Amino acid sequence: MDKKIIYSGIQPTGVVTLGNYIGALQNWLKLQDDTNYQCIYSIADLHSLTVRQVPAEFRNRALSFFAQYLACGLDPQKNIMYFQSHVHEHTELTWILNCFTYVGEASRMTQFKEKSQKHPDNINMGLMDYPVLMAADILLYNTALVPVGVDQKQHLEIARDLAMRFNNLYSSTFTVPEPLISKVGAKIMSLQNPTAKMSKSDENVNATISILDSEDDIMRKFKRAVTDSDTEIRFGEDKPGISNLITIYASCKGISIENAVKELQGLTYASLKEAVGSSVVQLLAPIKLRYNDIMNDKENLLNIAREGAEQASYIARKTLRKVYKKVGLVQL
């Protein structure tokens, strides 16, 4: 039986946050040992160019981000891992898909509207074309499942629409991808504003935990975490701060929300924050050690990226040749 392809990419925007790790990477670690799936993960560096970057900083950040993936436990022997910019088929398929994407579809994307308001001085075509490049990322590999957060579901929908549109015009070519959304820990919220998702771009340094944060920084940030006005430890929509802490604890311990609530019952909010912070410290300590070892061997890190790009290109080339043939381009 052919393995189902799972594809995902994350922009190299600095550091992997606790939210990234719990919301995505922990699930990826389970998937890499499942013989039913072939997982493909990319550093989506081309997507990052929609905002202005300082070249040297961006290059170092992308390499660090790749190392963080590996440090988190993603195994290049079990997964295909590479930089998006190292596989030119991504941009080539994007152009073809652009010719099947309607302007109205692209301009209606929520993220395009939000980022246009946030960066009114840099509303570029890449920003509008972002979902089409994302569709190319996914469709190149006959992806069956895409791990997505709720904020990315709209982008997956346009990938599905483009796949079906192309298939209807030229016969079956692309696999129509389905979302893979985890339940527990799928969305980790800001420690300072528990109604907003934890984000590495948050201006409040106490709102986000990086997987590379020191033990002291982690404990300090949890001590300052926003909770609620009462003293009850309960999971529910009316208690976003406490619910977020419970979710983090459950994810770090690998237990259910219900069991986490039982373990944390009777604690004061100060003790709750300390317990959650300690669970995060324990989870991240070995990751930081592996990261330092990986970054100290840049040659090996680049070799892993090179091998991953070669594996990805092999699959992507076959898809692109099929697409070129179907749209009528001359083949050599």
Side-chain angles (χ1 to χ4, degrees):
M1 184 182 74
D2 289 338
K3 293 184 177 183
K4 286 187 174 180
I5 301 291
I6 294 176
Y7 178 90
S8 189
I10 296 183
Q11 289 192 53
T13 45
V15 291
V16 174
T17 68
L18 181 66
N20 298 141
Y21 184 78
I22 291 175
L25 286 162
Q26 277 194 334
N27 295 313
W28 296 2
L29 295 177
K30 296 172 187 173
L31 290 169
Q32 73 180 358
D33 292 318
D34 192 324
T35 56
N36 294 312
Y37 303 110
Q38 170 64 70
C39 298
I40 303 175
Y41 301 123
S42 79
I43 300 296
D45 48 356
L46 293 174
H47 282 290
S48 296
L49 298 179
T50 58
V51 297
R52 298 289 174 259
Q53 304 288 346
V54 178
E57 290 178 8
F58 180 50
R59 193 176 297 113
N60 291 333
R61 195 165 67 239
L63 202 59
S64 169
F65 211 70
F66 191 60
Q68 289 172 59
Y69 264 29
L70 297 170
C72 285
L74 289 177
D75 187 343
Q77 301 301 316
K78 297 177 180 178
N79 308 288
I80 296 174
M81 301 171 63
Y82 67 100
F83 286 88
Q84 182 189 32
S85 61
H86 293 168
V87 180
H88 59 80
E89 287 84 2
H90 283 261
T91 49
E92 292 180 41
L93 182 58
T94 299
W95 176 254
I96 300 295
L97 295 180
N98 273 334
C99 299
F100 295 88
T101 304
Y102 305 123
V103 173
E105 285 177 309
S107 61
R108 280 196 301 271
M109 292 288 106
T110 302
Q111 195 173 63
F112 172 69
K113 292 177 181 177
E114 289 175 352
K115 289 197 173 181
S116 295
Q117 291 174 348
K118 194 173 180 180
H119 303 284
D121 58 333
N122 186 25
I123 305 174
N124 56 72
M125 285 304 300
L127 194 60
M128 180 176 279
D129 210 29
Y130 185 107
V132 185
L133 176 57
M134 185 174 171
D137 297 341
I138 295 165
L139 300 181
L140 267 177
Y141 301 101
N142 292 309
T143 302
L145 296 166
V146 182
V148 291
V150 291
D151 56 335
Q152 290 288 336
K153 283 184 73 176
Q154 192 182 36
H155 287 170
L156 182 59
E157 281 303 315
I158 200 169
R160 287 172 50 82
D161 290 344
L162 288 170
M164 289 185 282
R165 189 174 300 158
F166 194 95
N167 289 350
N168 288 337
L169 284 167
Y170 296 105
S171 77
S172 181
T173 307
F174 296 119
T175 299
V176 180
E178 297 287 342
L180 180 64
I181 302 175
S182 60
K183 294 179 182 177
V184 176
K187 198 171 184 182
I188 301 301
M189 313 306 281
S190 161
L191 296 183
Q192 292 299 306
N193 177 13
T195 60
K197 188 176 176 182
M198 182 179 284
S199 171
K200 57 182 74 71
S201 61
D202 199 312
E203 293 179 1
N204 188 333
V205 295
N206 294 310
T208 303
I209 301 291
S210 156
I211 64 164
L212 302 180
D213 276 346
S214 69
E215 180 177 341
D216 287 345
D217 283 343
I218 291 169
M219 296 306 295
R220 175 178 52 78
K221 289 178 182 180
F222 274 103
K223 284 178 183 176
R224 297 179 180 179
V226 170
T227 51
D228 305 303
S229 56
D230 59 28
T231 59
E232 187 181 7
I233 295 178
R234 176 173 54 81
F235 190 89
E237 289 184 8
D238 59 328
K239 294 180 71 66
I242 296 301
S243 296
N244 189 39
L245 294 176
I246 292 170
T247 299
I248 292 171
Y249 183 86
S251 299
C252 289
K253 293 289 188 179
I255 60 177
S256 67
I257 294 291
E258 292 76 15
N259 285 337
V261 171
K262 288 178 185 176
E263 288 190 12
L264 298 168
Q265 277 304 319
L267 295 181
T268 63
Y269 278 2
S271 298
L272 167 67
K273 293 176 184 181
E274 187 173 347
V276 178
S278 296
S279 72
V280 172
V281 167
Q282 188 175 9
L283 177 75
L284 298 182
I287 293 174
K288 283 183 281 190
L289 288 175
R290 286 196 298 268
Y291 170 79
N292 290 333
D293 289 341
I294 292 165
M295 286 300 288
N296 285 331
D297 190 352
K298 292 280 179 65
E299 186 177 347
N300 183 56
L301 182 58
L302 290 173
N303 282 335
I304 292 171
R306 186 178 295 108
E307 289 172 9
E310 288 170 357
Q311 290 176 289
S313 290
Y314 177 77
I315 301 170
R317 272 198 305 273
K318 290 196 290 186
T319 302
L320 194 63
R321 277 200 299 266
K322 189 189 299 184
V323 170
Y324 277 11
K325 183 177 180 181
K326 290 200 175 184
V327 298
L329 295 174
V330 174
Q331 304 290 293
L332 295 176

